[in-house]
Amino acid sequence: MDQVSAAANGRSFVVTNRSVLAIAVPMTLAYLTTPLLGVVDTAVVGQLGDAALLGGLAAGALVFDVVFTSFNFLRSGTTGLVAQALGRGDELEEQAVFWRAVLIAVVAGIVLAALAPLVAIAGQWFMSAEPRVSEAMAVYIRIRLLAAPFSLINYAILGYVLGRGEGVLGLMLQLVLNGINIALCILLGLELGWGVAGVAWATVTGEFVAMLLGLAIIGRRFWAAPRLARHRILDLSAFLRMMSLNRDIMIRSFSLLAAFALFTRQGAQFGTVTLAANAVLMNFFLIAGYFLDGFATAAEQLAGRAVGARAAMQFRQAVRLTLFWGLGLAATATLVLLLGGTDLVALITTSQDVRAVADIYLPWAAFTALSGVLAFQMDGVFIGATWSRDMRNMMLLSFLVFSAALLILAPAFGNHGLWAALHVFLLVRGFSLLAILRVRMRTAF
C-alpha cells in the first residue's frame, strides 16, 4: 500500500511555465557567476602588471578546465538519476544516488589531488610556454587541485539539488562558492600580494566552504528522512548503471571540446587577426550558452522526473515548454547581438583590425544561439531521461559531420565556411537527438 501511495505521489506533479522558470531562472543566474569569477581572477592578476603571471593563470585555468570537464558527469548524471527517483516517489533511492556520487567524487578527488605534480608537469609540456609562465601555471595547478575532492563533491551536491528541482537552493550554493572565491581572490591575490597562489587558494577555500554548507543542508534533510541501508548505497548494479551513464556523458563532453578545439585551430590558420576576432565572437556564443543552460537544466529535472513517474503527458509538456522558453531566449539573444553586437565588440577589444574583422562575421555568431538552442535543450532531456548512449552516439555523429563540413567549407569559403561548419554541428546535434527522441518516447512510456 505504501509503494502504491509513493508511486501515485510521484506521478501527481504537473509541468507548467512556472515550474520551468522556477528552475531555469535561478540556475541561469548561478551559471553566470562562473564567467564573472573568471573575469575577477584575470583582473586581479592583471593588476600585478606581470604578463607572465597572467599567462600562467590562463594556461593553468585551461588545464584545470580540461581535467574537470571529465568529471562533470557527477553533476548531470546525478541530476537525472535523482529526478527519476523523485518521479517514482522513491526517497531512499534519492539518498542512495547522492551517496554513490559522493563516493565516486571522494575517490576521484583524492587521486587528482595526489596527481597534482604530474598534472602540472603535463600541462607545462603541453603548453610549451616560456619558463616564468610555466612556473606560474604549475603553482596554480598544484594548489588548485588540492580542492579536487571538494569540487567533485560540490558537483554531486548540485546534481542532487537540481534533480529535486530546487533551483533557488542551487543558486544559493553557487553564490556562496563563487562569492567567497571572488572576495578571497581580491584579498589574497591583490591586497596581500599572493598573486596566482592567492587566486588558487581562494578557489580551494570557496569550494571547501560550499561543500560543508551543502553537506550540512542535505545531511540535515537525510537525518529526518527514513534510514538508508548501507548495502543499498553499495548496490553493484546501481553503481554500474551510474558508471555507464557517466562514461557516456564523459565521451560526449570530450567530443564537444574536440569540436571547439578544431574550430579554434582552423581559425588560427586564417591569421592572428581572424583568430582574435573569432575568440571575441565565441564569447557571445558562450554567454548565450550560459543562459540556455538554465533551460537545459530545467529539461533535465522535469524530463527525468517524468520518466521516473512514467508520466508521458508531463514528459511531452516538459519538452515543449523548455523548448518554447529556450527558443524565445535564443531569439532575444540573436536580436540583441545583431543590433548591438558592434558596440559589444568595441567594449571587448581596442584593436581596430580585430574590430573590423569581428564585425564582418558578427551575424554568424549572433545566430549561434538559435541554431544551438535545440542541441542544448535535447541534451537536457536526454540527460534527465538517462538516455546517455543515444546522446553519446549523436554527439559522435555530429562531430564527424562537423569535421567533414570543416574540410569542405573552410577551404572554399574561408572564415565564413568555418562559422557555417559550426552551425552545421549545432543543428545536427539538435535534430539528430530530436529524431531519436520520438523513438525513445514510444518505448519509455
Side-chain angles (χ1 to χ4, degrees), residues 37-38 40-42 44-45 48 53 56-61 64 68 116 120 135-151 177-178 180-190 193-209:
L37 175 60
V40 172
D41 286 352
T42 303
V44 165
V45 175
L48 300 176
L53 294 180
L57 173 67
F64 182 84
F68 269 67
E135 181 184 351
M137 177 179 65
V139 168
Y140 180 83
I141 291 174
R142 287 170 184 264
I143 297 172
R144 182 81 160 80
L145 276 180
L146 293 177
F150 316 142
S151 300
L177 191 159
N178 289 327
I180 291 174
N181 199 335
I182 288 171
L184 288 180
C185 179
I186 295 171
L187 174 63
L188 301 178
L190 195 58
W194 291 12
V196 171
V199 170
W201 279 116
T203 302
V204 173
T205 306
E207 295 282 0
F208 180 68
V209 173

Side-chain angles (χ1 to χ4, degrees), residues 222-443:
F222 288 169
W223 184 261
R227 289 291 177 267
L228 177 66
R230 184 178 302 174
H231 70 82
R232 182 159 183 176
I233 299 174
L234 301 175
D235 179 74
L236 181 60
S237 62
F239 255 114
L240 290 176
R241 184 190 178 201
M242 178 174 273
M243 294 307 296
S244 174
L245 173 65
N246 294 344
R247 177 201 63 211
D248 293 337
I249 295 175
M250 184 188 299
I251 293 172
R252 170 257 182 199
S253 298
F254 274 119
S255 300
L256 187 61
L257 277 177
F260 288 135
L262 276 180
F263 179 90
T264 303
R265 181 181 181 277
Q266 184 59 54
Q269 308 305 306
F270 298 135
T272 302
V273 173
T274 300
L275 175 64
N278 284 350
V280 170
L281 295 175
M282 277 298 287
N283 282 319
F284 298 155
F285 169 63
L286 295 175
I287 291 172
Y290 282 112
F291 282 100
L292 296 175
D293 268 341
F295 290 97
T297 300
E300 287 179 35
Q301 198 278 333
L302 296 170
R305 187 174 179 184
V307 168
R310 301 190 63 80
M313 183 178 69
Q314 286 90 330
F315 183 89
R316 292 189 181 92
Q317 187 72 345
V319 173
R320 280 195 296 266
L321 288 181
T322 53
L323 182 57
F324 168 78
W325 282 102
L327 281 170
L329 183 61
T332 302
T334 297
L335 185 61
V336 168
L337 289 175
L338 288 174
L339 295 178
T342 301
D343 294 330
L344 293 173
V345 169
L347 284 175
I348 296 174
T349 177
T350 58
S351 169
Q352 293 298 327
D353 291 340
V354 173
R355 286 182 185 180
V357 173
D359 289 346
I360 294 172
Y361 302 105
L362 178 62
W364 286 109
F367 280 98
T368 52
L370 274 175
S371 61
V373 61
L374 184 61
F376 279 93
Q377 188 249 2
M378 283 291 112
D379 271 356
V381 171
F382 275 72
I383 287 173
T386 61
W387 298 330
S388 60
R389 183 177 299 177
D390 295 321
M391 185 175 65
R392 177 201 67 194
N393 292 343
M394 293 307 100
M395 176 61 83
L396 291 173
L397 171 65
S398 302
F399 180 75
L400 290 175
V401 173
F402 169 69
S403 300
L406 201 62
L407 290 172
I408 296 169
L409 297 176
F413 302 102
N415 203 46
H416 286 290
L418 176 61
W419 279 97
L422 178 63
H423 282 271
V424 168
F425 174 64
L426 295 172
L427 290 169
V428 171
R429 276 180 62 201
F431 282 101
S432 62
L433 287 173
L434 182 62
I436 295 292
L437 178 66
R438 296 174 179 176
V439 178
R440 287 289 164 264
M441 285 182 64
R442 286 198 292 268
T443 57

Side-chain angles (χ1 to χ4, degrees), residues 16-79:
T16 63
N17 289 311
R18 183 174 182 177
S19 58
V20 169
L21 295 176
I23 301 170
V25 172
M27 289 318 301
T28 296
L29 296 174
Y31 292 142
L32 286 174
T33 63
T34 300
L36 175 62
L37 175 60
V39 169
V40 172
D41 286 352
T42 303
V44 165
V45 175
Q47 293 297 310
L48 300 176
D50 190 333
L53 294 180
L54 196 57
L57 173 67
L62 175 63
V63 171
F64 182 84
D65 287 344
V66 170
V67 170
F68 269 67
T69 294
S70 309
F71 294 93
N72 191 48
F73 60 75
L74 281 170
R75 203 286 298 162
S76 51
T78 303
T79 297

